[in-house]
Amino acid sequence: FLGETLDSIRSYTGNHPYEVIIINDGSTDQNTLNLLDKLQEKEYLILHQENKGPAAARNTGVKSTKGEYILFLDSDNKIKGEYIEKGVEILKHHRDVGVVYGNLSLFGEKSGPVSLPDFDIYKLLSGNYIDMCTIVRKKVWEEIKGFDEDRKVMGFEDWEFWIRAYEANWKFYHINEVMFEYRVRPNSLLKQAREEERYQNVLNHVYSKHLNLFINNYKHLFKQYTYYRKDQEKPFRSFFKFFYKKYISKPTAKAPDQD
């Protein structure tokens, strides 16, 4: 899949210079190593390390970058050519924005576009909805000291990174267009991480690191959870409530005061 990923990067035709850094996180597969050797001959920067997980691989890559902005791209996904241009321009003109993300299109085991919501801290605390394929200001990574390399959070290190970026007062900018393609595979790391016991370990780790933030937002999160459970139990009621508010209910005008 790496060849397709690199082809998607080459589809960028804008004026912003970029470098491509590829991290080999401990792969010993001979075909992979041969491909990396060929890419190194084409002046790609290839860094090898023992297997430490995706968080450590990303930290290794960022440490070697020369640029001000980082686009994180997993080796089986593909970006749209305009993502670099739009993301960099946003970061240049909005100095308070630290993270730019866009919508995605699924391919592989599932297919179709997926629209993401604008940034909402309550939604983020309820669970991650921002993929790692983002454009991040390098200063953000430096300020919050990179990705958490603890294997307890593996598969969700991006979620924990977003929470720390928010706590450091960085803004998030959502491009409401498809900016990358996400390959859905049957045995992805994220699917493995969502196994009940492992996912509970992730939650315990994230909650303990950001306890005050979760406590401060507890009431709102609990209300969200309560509504969600009620919606699961009575989906028709939820649909009717939505339909009534959107199409039937109208604001009533206040009667003028009488003299």
Side-chain angles (χ1 to χ4, degrees):
F1 302 136
L2 180 57
E4 295 177 49
T5 301
L6 296 175
D7 286 342
S8 76
I9 297 172
R10 286 192 289 266
S11 70
Y12 171 64
T13 57
N15 296 319
H16 297 296
Y18 65 87
E19 58 183 338
V20 177
I21 300 174
I22 302 171
I23 312 301
N24 173 23
D25 187 37
S27 175
T28 57
D29 176 72
Q30 194 56 52
N31 291 331
T32 299
L33 297 177
N34 291 340
L35 174 60
L36 294 178
D37 287 341
K38 291 179 181 178
L39 291 173
Q40 194 154 14
E41 293 173 2
K42 296 180 180 179
E43 299 185 348
Y44 287 101
L45 177 58
I46 313 295
L47 302 176
H48 299 270
Q49 66 177 33
E50 64 182 58
N51 179 249
K52 296 180 180 178
R58 292 179 185 122
N59 286 337
T60 296
V62 176
K63 289 173 187 174
S64 302
T65 58
K66 300 172 184 174
E68 187 179 352
Y69 313 116
I70 315 294
L71 194 161
F72 292 102
L73 181 58
D74 289 342
S75 62
D76 53 358
N77 298 335
K78 300 182 286 187
I79 61 167
K80 300 293 185 182
E82 61 270 25
Y83 196 9
I84 295 173
E85 190 74 24
K86 291 186 177 183
V88 170
E89 289 302 312
I90 288 166
L91 292 171
K92 277 189 170 183
H93 291 96
H94 300 272
R95 303 302 298 179
D96 58 341
V97 171
V99 180
V100 176
Y101 67 99
N103 297 340
L104 61 142
S105 180
L106 302 176
F107 72 105
E109 195 178 49
K110 295 180 181 178
S111 62
V114 177
S115 295
L116 299 180
D118 290 342
F119 183 77
D120 180 340
I121 186 56
Y122 300 123
K123 186 177 292 294
L124 184 67
L125 292 178
S126 299
N128 191 31
Y129 65 92
I130 302 174
D131 187 78
M132 190 67 256
C133 189
T134 56
I135 301 179
V136 176
R137 197 182 296 276
K138 187 175 181 180
K139 188 177 178 181
V140 176
W141 180 90
E142 292 171 339
E143 280 191 9
I144 65 178
K145 297 180 172 35
F147 292 93
D148 186 341
E149 299 183 11
D150 194 314
R151 287 186 177 268
K152 292 192 192 77
V153 79
M154 189 165 68
F156 288 86
E157 60 278 339
D158 49 352
W159 181 37
E160 197 277 328
F161 186 88
W162 310 143
I163 293 173
R164 277 189 289 133
Y166 170 81
E167 289 178 315
N169 297 316
W170 286 101
K171 305 294 185 187
F172 291 67
Y173 192 108
H174 172 221
I175 302 174
N176 194 23
E177 302 172 46
V178 171
M179 289 288 103
F180 69 100
E181 296 179 63
Y182 182 94
R183 190 187 303 268
V184 181
R185 294 186 292 157
N187 295 310
S188 69
L189 183 61
L190 184 58
K191 285 189 176 183
Q192 295 173 30
R194 286 194 182 278
E195 294 172 7
E196 187 173 349
E197 184 176 349
R198 292 186 64 188
Y199 187 53
Q200 190 58 55
N201 290 334
V202 170
L203 294 179
N204 292 342
H205 184 79
V206 173
Y207 291 162
S208 63
K209 281 190 71 173
H210 305 281
L211 187 59
N212 289 336
L213 182 63
F214 280 94
I215 288 175
N216 292 338
N217 293 281
Y218 168 77
K219 288 185 179 179
H220 187 94
L221 293 171
F222 182 74
K223 185 184 292 187
Q224 276 191 334
Y225 173 76
T226 303
Y227 284 145
Y228 171 72
R229 288 302 298 270
K230 287 181 178 178
D231 287 351
Q232 278 190 316
E233 294 165 4
K234 300 180 180 179
F236 180 76
R237 186 197 68 169
S238 299
F239 168 75
F240 180 78
K241 184 169 61 178
F242 163 79
F243 185 84
Y244 179 80
K245 286 184 177 180
K246 188 169 182 65
Y247 298 108
I248 301 175
S249 177
K250 297 184 182 298
T252 56
K254 184 180 179 181
D257 294 334
Q258 300 292 324
D259 290 334

